[in-house]
Amino acid sequence: MRPLRPLRLSLSIALLTLLGGMGATAQESRLPDIGSSAGTLIGPVQQEEYGRMLLAQLRHYNYVLEDPLIDGWLQSAGNRLGAVSDQPRQRYTFFMMRDRSINAFATLGGYIGMNAGLVLTAGSEDEVAAVLAHEIAHVTQQHVLRGVERAQRDQIPILLGMLGAIAVAQSAGGSSAGDASMAAMAAAQGLAIQRQIDYTRANESEADRLGIRTLARSGYEPMAMATMFERMQAASRTNQGGERERAPDYLRTHPVTTTRVGEARQRAEQMAGNANVATSVTWGQAPPRAPAEGAADPLGTASDNAPPASDLLLSGNPLLPSSLRLPEAGGNGPDPVQFGWAKERLRVLSANTPAEAIREYEQMQRAGQLTDAQRYGLAVARLQDGRGAASAATEFAELLQSHPGDLWLSLGLAEAEERAGRPAQADRHLDSLLERMPHNPAVALTYARVLVERDTPESGRRAQAVLRPLMRSSAEDPMFQRTFARASEIAGDPVRAGEAWAEAAFLSGREEQALVQLNTLKKRDDLDYYARARIDARIATITPVVLELRRQGIRDEDLRRR
């Protein structure tokens, strides 16, 4: 990991504190009425931009754990929940943080981050989904936006104030820049947090309530929220780990209490009872009568605008007629085997080094026989370590006998075969996977990385061909852009390489560098009409972003030193 520079690090911390932290505040314990002014404070485009800025800054400092298999698993679980949330048309972006503390947060634009430590603590995908559902509720109920709205009424322009803190740090100069920045932010944060603290409990209660309902709609286990809270509570009492295992104060936005656990359990039990009644309704029958006016809502929602509970239980979607009962969105429910792979892969990728991960598994092995998931994790650690490719290949092959056709194991085996000096076998596995799943990002990126490592023009062109079907769907993935850039370089395609490198820089919080790279690329005399048009379009898009950052006093520190 590159060393953290105080100026841009303070931007990341401020964004997490002021945006992510506000995800745990609310004004009222009810659904927003139609006339709420929160949505007029910052438009959807601006919200998306703030969320993108946060994610870019986190990527810049390597806080985000980028892995196509993990990303695909997390996004799939999140999309399954988002599709049956109160705002199914909202775009959600889920990303994994490599921090091993137990936390998650939501911010503007539907951006939801989850720490690796939370998955390592969870006992099932249902429990991970419970946290995601809770954060999705923060988004659908506009809790972040409401917090900004209240702050604005108190004349604390939090978002611009955060950027102003960066300008203060710049004007201070020298080694005091970091201290000045943090002092300015602390002053703004202190008043903002004091004004919001009275609303935390109500906001969290509402997110729990709606999150449990989303879990039920999506086919996950509603009781998982209570069991996950219990795990968090136990971990907070016993965890005395190292610096990486302690949750930073600015991310502690979701306190867990015994009362909160009990309420979550009670709501899940109530929902299970009502679901049992609903399952007796068959096609063509009229739905049960809605609760009488003033009667308790069995789903625990306190909203006059919400559909009747019976409608929600029957259709599973508030946009469908109550008499129409569709299959559960989750089909047969989450795959416990895949959750095991994801959890152990995260254990390896979130460790400080592969060697440390190997030592973790050796400790587990001394305590008892490893599970299949733990054997997978150990094989991934050996593969990442670079000295155990042959033993990793053997482990993956043995696991595939018990789990034939499994994608995670098949990709691991292909990578191990390549690293063990058996490229023909690696190609055979990867060609088979690509034929089955030509648009799967994990397959395409793994194959392209294997080809790029061979560093020949032929392998570069093959890598480009493998990645091209994902050009549109993976355009906002910096990992894809970096891989495509390197493939284009060794294939002898400098223009495409330059465009992709610039895009990767932009997505990783280096907007000014991206603009410089594009303007340099534009000076080439071998650009055709289409390449020039693409480059001009990106320059036109990125220039206003860079100008706004400069207006706020934010400059790329590497470019300033040149």
Side-chain angles (χ1 to χ4, degrees):
M1 183 184 297
R2 79 187 83 185
L4 302 182
R5 289 177 283 265
L7 187 61
R8 292 187 73 99
L9 175 59
S10 60
L11 173 58
S12 296
I13 294 175
L15 280 163
L16 281 170
T17 306
L18 299 178
L19 295 183
M22 281 185 179
T25 60
Q27 295 182 34
E28 298 173 287
S29 179
R30 61 177 176 82
L31 298 174
D33 53 39
I34 296 176
S36 172
S37 61
T40 65
L41 177 64
I42 303 176
V45 174
Q46 290 174 297
Q47 293 180 47
E48 169 69 23
E49 181 61 23
Y50 279 120
R52 187 206 64 77
M53 181 194 300
L54 167 64
L55 180 55
Q57 289 300 310
L58 293 174
R59 284 171 173 162
H60 176 59
Y61 288 107
N62 203 28
Y63 290 147
V64 177
L65 193 155
E66 294 181 293
D67 178 78
L69 284 168
I70 295 296
D71 290 346
W73 168 74
L74 183 64
Q75 193 70 40
S76 176
N79 287 343
R80 174 175 169 177
L81 294 161
V84 294
S85 70
D86 288 350
Q87 290 184 19
R89 294 186 179 182
Q90 167 73 47
R91 177 188 173 185
Y92 296 96
T93 300
F94 302 91
F95 56 95
M96 188 69 67
M97 305 274 286
R98 47 179 85 245
D99 195 329
R100 283 198 175 184
S101 63
I102 303 170
N103 223 303
F105 62 93
T107 187
L108 296 176
Y111 284 77
I112 296 175
M114 173 172 286
N115 284 8
L118 193 145
V119 181
L120 295 179
T121 302
S124 67
E125 185 176 311
D126 297 88
E127 292 180 353
V128 174
V131 178
L132 291 176
H134 174 99
E135 298 303 330
I136 285 171
H138 281 316
V139 175
T140 63
Q141 299 313 109
Q142 296 186 324
H143 289 161
V144 180
L145 209 54
R146 286 179 167 210
V148 174
E149 180 184 43
R150 170 169 287 273
Q152 190 177 71
R153 287 207 306 268
D154 291 339
Q155 298 182 347
I156 307 172
I158 289 184
L159 296 175
L160 294 180
M162 176 273 299
L163 295 175
I166 305 301
V168 170
Q170 291 243 329
S171 63
S175 61
S176 64
D179 293 339
S181 175
M182 295 308 296
M185 285 186 292
Q189 292 168 25
L191 182 55
I193 292 171
Q194 184 62 48
R195 290 291 295 120
Q196 296 296 335
I197 197 168
D198 293 337
Y199 302 93
T200 298
R201 181 173 298 176
N203 198 21
E204 290 297 284
S205 179
E206 182 177 59
D208 290 349
R209 196 164 55 240
L210 300 183
I212 290 173
R213 189 175 73 183
T214 300
L215 281 174
R217 286 177 176 176
S218 62
Y220 284 109
E221 170 54 58
M223 190 62 72
M225 187 167 289
T227 58
M228 188 62 198
F229 285 163
E230 289 172 340
R231 291 183 189 276
M232 290 181 180
Q233 201 172 38
S236 66
R237 290 171 181 163
T238 61
N239 184 18
Q240 301 295 329
E243 196 64 31
R244 292 189 67 188
E245 284 70 35
R246 295 196 193 102
D249 290 340
Y250 61 84
L251 280 179
R252 287 192 176 276
T253 58
H254 299 82
V256 179
T257 64
T258 302
T259 300
R260 189 176 175 192
V261 173
E263 289 175 350
R265 186 173 293 277
Q266 183 179 19
R267 290 189 187 109
E269 289 172 350
Q270 290 175 345
M271 185 165 294
N274 284 281
N276 290 335
V277 174
T279 55
S280 64
V281 180
T282 57
W283 288 89
Q285 290 183 334
R289 184 174 299 175
E293 184 175 355
D297 182 349
L299 292 179
T301 54
S303 170
D304 295 334
N305 299 322
S310 57
D311 287 7
L312 293 170
L313 287 168
L314 285 170
S315 70
N317 191 315
L319 302 181
L320 296 176
S322 60
S323 59
L324 179 59
R325 181 172 177 81
L326 297 179
E328 292 289 352
N332 295 323
D335 182 356
V337 173
Q338 188 176 79
F339 171 73
W341 306 147
K343 181 174 181 176
E344 297 308 320
R345 189 174 183 87
L346 272 174
R347 189 185 307 280
V348 175
L349 299 181
S350 64
N352 289 317
T353 64
E356 285 192 16
I358 291 172
R359 285 194 291 272
E360 283 189 61
Y361 287 110
E362 288 173 346
Q363 291 177 355
M364 295 178 194
Q365 209 162 23
R366 286 193 290 270
Q369 186 175 359
L370 297 181
T371 65
D372 280 0
Q374 291 166 344
R375 290 171 59 194
Y376 168 78
L378 179 56
V380 172
R382 287 172 173 163
L383 183 60
Q384 293 284 322
D385 190 51
R387 293 174 292 179
S391 62
T394 300
E395 193 72 73
F396 287 131
E398 290 179 359
L399 287 169
L400 272 168
Q401 293 178 5
S402 302
H403 306 277
D406 184 273
L407 174 62
W408 297 58
L409 299 176
S410 298
L411 286 175
L413 177 59
E415 284 190 275
E417 294 280 19
E418 175 70 21
R419 303 279 175 81
R422 298 188 285 266
Q425 290 92 321
D427 285 352
R428 179 167 53 84
H429 293 306
L430 289 166
D431 283 332
S432 175
L433 288 171
L434 193 64
E435 185 177 355
R436 283 169 45 200
M437 295 170 280
H439 299 285
N440 184 290
V443 173
L445 280 167
T446 300
Y447 200 173
R449 287 202 300 259
V450 165
L451 291 166
V452 163
E453 287 179 5
R454 297 175 188 173
D455 199 18
T456 66
E458 182 182 359
S459 66
R461 288 189 291 272
R462 175 60 175 151
Q464 281 184 308
V466 167
L467 292 173
R468 278 200 179 96
L470 303 181
M471 289 289 290
R472 183 182 297 273
S473 61
S474 297
E476 296 182 11
D477 180 359
M479 183 168 38
F480 171 87
Q481 296 291 354
R482 288 192 296 268
T483 307
F484 189 78
R486 182 61 188 137
S488 298
E489 277 184 344
I490 64 177
D493 189 348
V495 175
R496 281 291 191 181
E499 291 180 80
W501 283 125
E503 203 64 35
F506 177 77
L507 294 169
S508 300
R510 309 308 294 263
E511 297 88 352
E512 198 167 357
Q513 285 195 17
L515 188 59
V516 169
Q517 290 174 17
L518 288 171
N519 279 313
T520 301
L521 190 62
K522 186 179 177 181
K523 296 176 183 178
R524 293 182 63 98
D525 56 12
D526 58 348
L527 296 181
D528 61 24
Y529 170 81
Y530 298 102
R532 191 172 298 278
R534 288 194 309 269
I535 294 168
D536 284 339
R538 289 307 290 156
I539 289 174
T541 300
I542 295 174
T543 297
V545 177
V546 173
L547 291 176
E548 175 61 20
L549 290 172
R550 287 179 178 176
R551 189 180 72 82
Q552 297 293 342
I554 303 173
R555 298 292 300 269
D556 189 292
E557 60 269 32
D558 290 337
L559 292 177
R560 283 167 60 92
R561 286 194 291 267
R562 292 181 182 177

